Amino acid sequence: MEPLRRLRDNAKIYIEELSHNGFQQIFDHIDQLKIKNGVDRLGLDKFIEQCAYLAAGSGIISGSGGMITMVIGIPVDFINLVTQQFRITMAIMYYYKGTYEIDFNEFMRLVAASLRVEAGVAITKTMMEGIAEKMLRIFGTRTAERLIPVIGAAIGGTTNYLFIKRMAVMVKQMQPEPVIITVN
């Protein structure tokens, strides 16, 4: 019973840390100009596909060795999954709005809405914790399945790929019609 309580307490601490500055750090480390260039060069759907493959890759690695790689792989996989979700969200926002410079607060409102977390007018601590908790819950449901080598890799890669693809569909549905920029 004690290890379970310790695990729950550690998860709460991790959710608080992630919600306070983790999302901001991930957001700040993403080069929005590279996302713009990637969408311009590949197109939106191929860019999303590329992000889904990157997410699948970390899922495969974190589930490939069972318990040994899971200890190190799952945190790295989680960060990569969040990063890829942020990248596709920024790409979709750029595609539909016509600008690639996105404010963190506006961005997190869209992430919250895509995860169906209640988002108020301002980014609140509670909303950020809700996003972190929801993402960890989604991610945690697949953790036990990754304990089995090879099968865990297939499950991790497939679920990460499908997660990114589904998030892209939900974020696209939330956007108004794309901005058409005419060049004379």
Side-chain angles (χ1 to χ4, degrees), residues 25-92:
Q25 286 179 357
I26 291 171
F27 180 85
D28 290 342
H29 283 90
I30 295 173
D31 186 349
Q32 293 185 32
L33 181 58
K34 283 186 180 177
I35 291 173
K36 175 204 174 297
N37 292 338
V39 171
D40 289 344
R41 186 173 42 83
L42 299 172
L44 181 61
D45 291 331
K46 287 193 180 192
F47 185 83
I48 291 168
E49 190 75 20
Q50 180 185 48
C51 291
Y53 282 130
L54 289 170
S58 67
I60 289 169
I61 292 168
S62 71
S64 64
M67 188 63 156
I68 296 166
T69 58
M70 195 172 91
V71 172
I72 296 170
I74 287 206
V76 171
D77 186 29
F78 180 75
I79 290 168
N80 183 48
L81 193 64
V82 171
T83 301
Q84 297 313 317
Q85 179 188 355
F86 282 16
R87 289 181 73 223
I88 63 160
T89 303
M90 288 177 187
I92 293 167

Side-chain angles (χ1 to χ4, degrees), residues 94-125:
Y94 162 67
Y95 182 80
Y96 283 93
K97 289 186 172 196
T99 181
Y100 69 91
E101 293 177 353
I102 299 164
D103 176 56
F104 178 71
N105 291 334
E106 176 188 4
F107 173 76
M108 287 309 294
R109 278 190 212 96
L110 183 60
V111 170
S114 68
L115 290 170
R116 294 184 179 94
V117 174
E118 189 60 37
V121 174
I123 298 295
T124 64
K125 178 184 175 208

